[in-house]
Amino acid sequence: MTITAESVWVKCLSFIQDNVTSQAYKTWFEPIKAIKLTDNALSIQVPSKFFYEWLEEHYVNLLKVSLTKELGEKAKLVYIIKMENGTTSKQPYTEKIPSSHRGNISEQEVETPIKHKSPELKNPFIIPGIRNVKIDSQLNPNYSFENFLEGDSNRLARNAGIAVSNKPGGTSFNPLLIFGGVGLGKTHLAHAIGVEVKEKFPEKTVLYISAEKFTQQYIESVKKNNRNDFIHFYQIIDVLIVDDIQLLSGKAGTQDVFFHIFNHLHQNGKQVILTSDKAPVDMQDIEQRLLSRFKWGLSAELQQPDFETRISIIKNKLYRDGVDMPEDIIEYLANNVKTNIRELEGAIISLIAHSSFNKKDITIDLAKKIVENYVKNTKKEISIDYIQKVVSDYFQMDVETLQSKTRKRHIVQARQLAMFFAKKLTKASLASIGSQIGKRDHATVLHACKTVNNLSSTDKQFKKFVEDLNKKLTN
Ligand code: ADP
Ligand code: MG
């Protein structure tokens, strides 16, 4: 019986098949074609350079053993990489690379220098290098757990994230879906998990990618006719983080490919982390089979941070930037930028920048101006400014009059009412209220609150003011 490349390879395959999972066999060995056998060298054709690197990294020993069994100690393996972009020529380019592994199989001289340009790397995240496949995680080290302050609004998500990073793929939080509104920390938390995994398990392959970029890569791979490389690339990741998956909505092709990648990773105990600006039930135009998988693990919501958490986030940021800021301004910011942590940070940065460029102290007036620029929808929330406006309107005066130093009785009363409601309806401190309502001190505010309480139990007319204003402010 004559020995052919094919017959040798068939025997190697049956040995390999017994030694790897059926999934790995399907992914990495079925696509290989035996091309040529000369002396003791078997040439096999692989679909891509990436494929070759992967085999070398993970299966070189297995290949070596199987081949040695068939061809003896002098066995050699030659990879032929099938080139996929044949724009100038219809016939597939090939490139020969001797196995880089030291040992019998690979100690072969380098073949004739490669004439064609080396094949394009199929995925931009692969750092070129033949011996090791290294994937740049695309993680931002500043987005760590340490910098992600805990509060009621994020406790579940944050702790689930920590659990996942201690045991990627090994908890029931797979996938972990983090959802919540804009600027509430989804991207930060997703990175933090990746950063922590890398720290604890440096050998694990972690990849952060936005759904948008994932979609672009996919479209590109279809254009270049290397969809399989695209899929293979993602199937080797240990911890895959896909940010903003709501962006996959309506993109059937991308959803389909993601579905296959997801299944492969999940079946192989790999961790998937997803973020979305909506809960799974509210996602539109995402295939049902994909949605149902999103629900397999844990969906954890990031909510709007409460006052205390906002204060700690501000203080932490100031501390890291080495900036001092008066307490009443910190409170002002926390009280007025509530729904978006990114805006909160933006306001702080802008405030610091203004004050340092203009060599001015950080004042409450500056803070107000900046907050106005940063926060679009404060109207519905009760701010001290809003209270002053409502009270002034009610007494048909303008805010400046309300804040003025005059001792005219009706103006003093209006000012005291504004202070009273500020204390009642916001979390600002007495000092902060005072500095915002006509630059008074905390004792004045305290006195105002007492006066309003007293008057409303003794003076019917005054009591009506309080009731009317309360209605206007809380409706
Ligand atoms: P999202 O992806 O939900 O839109 P990001 O993750 O981009 O939000 O967060 C916006 C900003 O807020 C980032 O700069 C992030 O560092 C910061 N941030 C969010 N949550 C926290 C937190 N709990 N502690 C500290 N900073 C936070
Ligand atoms: Mg984000």
Side-chain angles (χ1 to χ4, degrees), residues 142-151 153-154 158 178-191 243-244 275-276 302 305 309 312-314 316-317 320 340-343 345:
N142 293 324
Y143 281 165
S144 61
F145 275 116
E146 199 188 2
N147 291 336
F148 191 82
L149 300 186
E150 182 167 323
S153 55
N154 62 35
R158 188 178 188 277
I178 302 161
F179 69 96
V182 180
L184 293 180
K186 300 181 295 294
T187 298
H188 185 145
L189 185 55
H191 275 271
D243 203 359
D244 290 322
T275 79
S276 166
L302 289 177
T309 313
S312 4
I313 289 173
I314 298 173
N316 180 263
K317 171 117 193 85
R320 281 190 284 137
N340 184 324
I341 299 171
R342 189 177 302 125
E343 284 180 356
E345 285 189 335

Side-chain angles (χ1 to χ4, degrees), residues 51-116:
F51 208 97
Y52 148 69
E53 291 173 347
W54 184 257
L55 289 171
E56 278 287 280
E57 167 101 351
H58 293 89
Y59 298 111
V60 75
N61 279 324
L62 187 61
L63 285 163
K64 179 182 160 182
V65 173
S66 64
L67 208 54
T68 313
K69 271 176 53 154
E70 298 309 315
L71 299 173
E73 286 297 318
K74 294 219 170 93
K76 290 167 185 170
L77 184 65
V78 176
Y79 294 94
I80 298 173
I81 297 173
K82 195 172 163 219
M83 307 281 283
E84 294 189 19
N85 61 22
T87 35
T88 47
S89 159
K90 290 257 165 66
Q91 97 201 65
Y93 286 149
T94 56
E95 177 188 28
K96 293 176 185 177
I97 298 174
S99 166
S100 63
H101 185 73
R102 267 177 240 103
N104 290 330
I105 290 180
S106 52
E107 265 167 17
Q108 182 186 340
E109 286 170 326
V110 178
E111 302 226 344
T112 41
I114 298 154
K115 289 194 194 94
H116 312 294

